[in-house]
């Protein structure tokens, strides 16, 4: 795999430090509870894997896959659920685990969808946030890094399904349109 078309934005070591810090906050806030970590596929799997191993509160995990309907319906913020949860979330404390919040459309729809299923609580943890791009009002409860309006890859994030395996978060400097 070519890696010379990317420039490191957040090093692997800095990510690991931040993941431990976030897990510490979540451990404190969920003491005595048994949250369900709801991982948004596919980008958040790497973050989930590291994050859950730093937690000491007992957790369960489940996965949801969503897809935007595309440009035509983008403004509506309606997304399609490609793979739904396998767990009943009625009465559960849900922590949505996201890789990145950009416009916020996907997460706003998802959070509302999850809230409508009767959980005890819903919070959001995201590794990355691009607040300059926000189109709807949604704020993560826990955020790793606020980043500028650049397209990033690595640590689970892809471009055309590539680069997910990079241990760091990088800016794609060339080849994005190829
Ligand atoms: P939103 O609905 O917030 O605009 O979109 C969030 C989704 O867009 C993320 O879960 C991710 O899949 C994708 N996305 C947004 N920004 C980036 C980025 O900089 N890099 C990558 N690889 N995906 C992004």
């Amino acid at each position: 795999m070519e890696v010379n078309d990317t420039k490191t934005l957040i090093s692997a070591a800095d990510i690991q430090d931040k993941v431990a810090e976030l897990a510490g906050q979540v451990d404190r806030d969920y003491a005595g509870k048994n949250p369900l970590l709801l991982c948004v596929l596919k980008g958040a799997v790497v973050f989930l894997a590291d994050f859950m191993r730093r937690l000491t509160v007992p957790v369960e995990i489940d996965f949801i896959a969503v897809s935007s309907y595309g440009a035509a319906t983008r403004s509506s913020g309606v997304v399609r659920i490609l793979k739904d949860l396998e767990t009943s979330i009625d009465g559960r404390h849900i922590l949505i685990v996201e890789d990145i919040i950009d416009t916020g459309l996907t997460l706003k729809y998802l959070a509302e969808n999850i809230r409508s299923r009767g959980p005890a609580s819903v919070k959001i943890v995201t590794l990355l946030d691009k607040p300059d791009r926000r189109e709807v009002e949604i704020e993560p409860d826990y955020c790793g890094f606020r980043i500028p309006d650049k397209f990033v890859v690595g640590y689970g994030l892809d471009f055309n399904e590539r680069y997910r395996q990079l241990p760091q978060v990088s800016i794609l400097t060339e080849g994005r349109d190829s």
Side-chain angles (χ1 to χ4, degrees):
M1 183 176 70
E2 299 276 338
V3 290
N4 59 353
D5 51 359
T6 63
K7 185 172 174 294
T8 299
L9 179 68
I10 309 168
S11 72
D14 286 350
I15 293 173
Q16 293 305 322
D17 287 350
K18 186 62 80 175
V19 169
E21 188 187 316
L22 290 171
Q25 292 172 19
V26 168
D27 260 343
R28 283 191 294 279
D29 293 354
Y30 286 83
K33 297 189 176 120
N34 167 220
L36 176 68
L37 305 181
L38 195 167
C39 175
V40 185
L41 292 172
K42 301 176 188 170
V45 289
V46 178
F47 176 38
L48 173 79
D50 284 345
F51 177 67
M52 67 183 288
R53 283 179 291 177
R54 293 284 190 167
L55 292 170
T56 61
V57 288
V59 296
E60 289 157 40
I61 62 171
D62 203 346
F63 299 88
I64 193 163
V66 296
S67 156
S68 160
Y69 272 114
T73 52
R74 184 156 180 79
S75 56
S76 71
V78 175
V79 298
R80 199 154 46 104
I81 293 180
L82 301 176
K83 182 219 166 290
D84 208 346
L85 301 172
E86 291 168 12
T87 321
S88 163
I89 61 172
D90 190 34
R92 298 295 307 268
H93 292 286
I94 306 299
L95 183 57
I96 299 176
V97 180
E98 256 290 19
D99 48 2
I100 187 166
I101 308 178
D102 188 35
T103 64
L105 287 165
T106 308
L107 199 52
K108 189 169 170 77
Y109 177 85
L110 191 60
E112 279 169 12
N113 179 293
I114 296 299
R115 280 198 182 92
S116 73
R117 304 188 199 186
S121 68
V122 179
K123 284 190 178 185
I124 297 162
V125 56
T126 187
L127 182 72
L128 306 172
D129 187 9
K130 290 201 268 191
D132 296 347
R133 296 258 310 161
R134 200 72 92 254
E135 290 178 22
V136 288
E137 236 179 82
I138 187 152
E139 288 303 321
D141 299 277
Y142 309 93
C143 173
F145 301 94
R146 296 210 155 75
I147 63 168
D149 179 12
K150 302 273 187 208
F151 190 82
V152 291
V153 294
Y155 200 71
L157 287 156
D158 76 311
F159 173 62
N160 283 348
E161 294 301 325
R162 283 182 54 204
Y163 303 99
R164 291 192 197 275
Q165 77 222 62
L166 298 179
Q168 75 278 10
V169 169
S170 294
I171 295 171
L172 209 53
T173 52
E174 56 185 82
R176 195 179 157 186
D177 299 322
S178 62

